[in-house]
Amino acid sequence: MAKKKKKSSPETGPAAEADVHASLSNKCMIRPDSIKGSDDSGKFYSNYDELCDAQRVHKDRWYEANRQWWVAGGYGGETDEEAMIGDTLGAEDGVEGLAFLDKMMAQNDSGKQVARAVDAGAGVGRITKLVLLKRYDSVRLVEADPHWSTRSRVYLGRKRSARCTFTCARLEDLSEDDVAGWDGPVDLIWLQWTLQYLTDADAIKTLQTLARGLVLGTGRLVVKENRPYGKARSDRFQMETPACSGRYDITRTDAQHRLMFHRAGLKVNMSEEGVETNTYAV
């Protein structure tokens, strides 16, 4: 499940307008029993509870496999960016992310200067460099792997690093007190290609915790993740497991993401469908 980017197809027109109004509803119209999919061993999960049960049973082993996978270099390649995303399209993804951010900021204009952002699941700091530091005064990078957290200072360089704070922590282990200790609420938290390595239960917990660190009213949390595309059914998740693929990684459907946002108490304010990704502002 390499991290593809390519061009986005923004949701526009009546369909998008209906989607926005639906997302602002207090009710979630997505039924958990409609969430179905398969893993790389061929096992089919016929409902959401079945998936979550499997994630709960195997979580510790899957997370340990992922830890070892990142220690071994992640996706490999010749550059830090390739190790993070599995291809050479990092610059293109940065342009796409910056365009989404500018559109979101224009819709969210409150007359207040935006100053502070968090790159959650930052890896080597790719999004910090290509997107966040272009619009925000300072960025806190939160990354679980000690090597990549340290390496990000080299990747960013001295001048960019001087505008950053570096925190080595697992997102799912963060508490409200941890987030409160980030010197007050922030204007933006960016989560990209990170929730796919978490179980749904941990992803929901992470969303809830991070959202409490946002500036009330104007703060936004951006989530960008892969989606099923090509010959894959758009309404079926795809899950890779350590036994077959060396790591745990789940490509969720749009409906599954929206169900998680609802369970985390969040509402989608803006969304955009890319060739292989979905991006949400909540």
Side-chain angles (χ1 to χ4, degrees), residues 50-83:
E50 195 173 329
L51 168 66
C52 292
D53 286 344
Q55 290 176 330
R56 183 175 61 255
V57 169
H58 299 292
K59 180 177 106 168
D60 291 344
R61 182 168 59 85
W62 288 354
Y63 280 10
E64 175 57 22
N66 282 10
R67 186 192 68 79
Q68 294 180 18
W69 186 75
W70 285 112
V71 167
Y75 289 95
E78 298 181 358
T79 67
D80 289 335
E81 290 189 4
E82 288 181 50

Side-chain angles (χ1 to χ4, degrees), residues 5-235:
K5 308 92 186 171
K6 301 182 183 177
K7 292 184 179 179
S8 289
S9 302
E11 296 180 10
T12 57
E17 191 172 329
D19 174 65
V20 171
H21 288 306
S23 70
L24 294 176
S25 169
N26 289 326
K27 295 182 179 179
C28 182
M29 304 305 292
I30 300 165
R31 299 194 340 260
D33 60 5
S34 70
I35 306 299
K36 309 175 190 295
S38 302
D39 65 25
D40 50 4
S41 73
K43 177 178 172 56
F44 180 72
Y45 301 81
S46 61
N47 58 64
Y48 195 51
D49 287 343
E50 195 173 329
L51 168 66
C52 292
D53 286 344
Q55 290 176 330
R56 183 175 61 255
V57 169
H58 299 292
K59 180 177 106 168
D60 291 344
R61 182 168 59 85
W62 288 354
Y63 280 10
E64 175 57 22
N66 282 10
R67 186 192 68 79
Q68 294 180 18
W69 186 75
W70 285 112
V71 167
Y75 289 95
E78 298 181 358
T79 67
D80 289 335
E81 290 189 4
E82 288 181 50
M84 294 292 100
I85 64 176
D87 58 36
T88 60
L89 300 177
E92 185 176 349
D93 173 66
V95 171
E96 185 179 285
L98 197 60
F100 182 91
L101 178 59
D102 285 344
K103 189 181 303 182
M104 183 200 74
M105 291 173 71
Q107 292 184 5
N108 195 41
D109 184 17
S110 63
K112 174 183 175 296
Q113 181 181 2
V114 291
R116 302 172 60 228
V118 170
D119 187 351
V124 78
R126 196 181 59 85
I127 291 298
T128 293
K129 178 180 180 179
L130 298 177
V131 179
L132 301 181
L133 284 176
K134 294 181 183 294
R135 296 293 184 269
Y136 291 83
D137 295 336
S138 64
V139 179
R140 179 180 293 272
L141 291 79
V142 184
E143 168 55 36
D145 185 276
H147 166 73
W148 293 115
S149 183
T150 300
R151 179 66 185 170
S152 62
R153 295 162 172 80
V154 177
Y155 172 79
L156 291 171
R158 183 176 298 176
K159 289 185 178 180
R160 294 189 186 93
S161 293
R163 296 165 57 193
C164 297
T165 304
F166 302 87
T167 299
C168 189
R170 293 188 63 87
L171 296 181
E172 70 274 18
D173 292 338
L174 291 174
S175 67
E176 289 186 46
D177 289 341
D178 292 328
V179 175
W182 292 351
D183 303 320
V186 299
D187 301 291
L188 176 77
I189 297 176
W190 192 287
L191 268 166
Q192 179 162 339
W193 293 326
T194 298
L195 296 184
Q196 67 193 66
Y197 301 113
L198 298 181
T199 65
D200 282 47
D202 278 349
I204 292 167
K205 176 179 179 291
T206 295
L207 290 166
Q208 290 173 323
T209 303
L210 291 177
R212 293 186 178 100
L214 291 168
V215 172
L216 187 64
T218 59
R220 288 289 179 264
L221 197 161
V222 171
V223 176
K224 182 172 183 177
E225 291 286 328
N226 288 338
R227 67 178 183 85
Y229 71 98
K231 295 182 179 179
R233 288 186 55 164
S234 62
D235 62 342

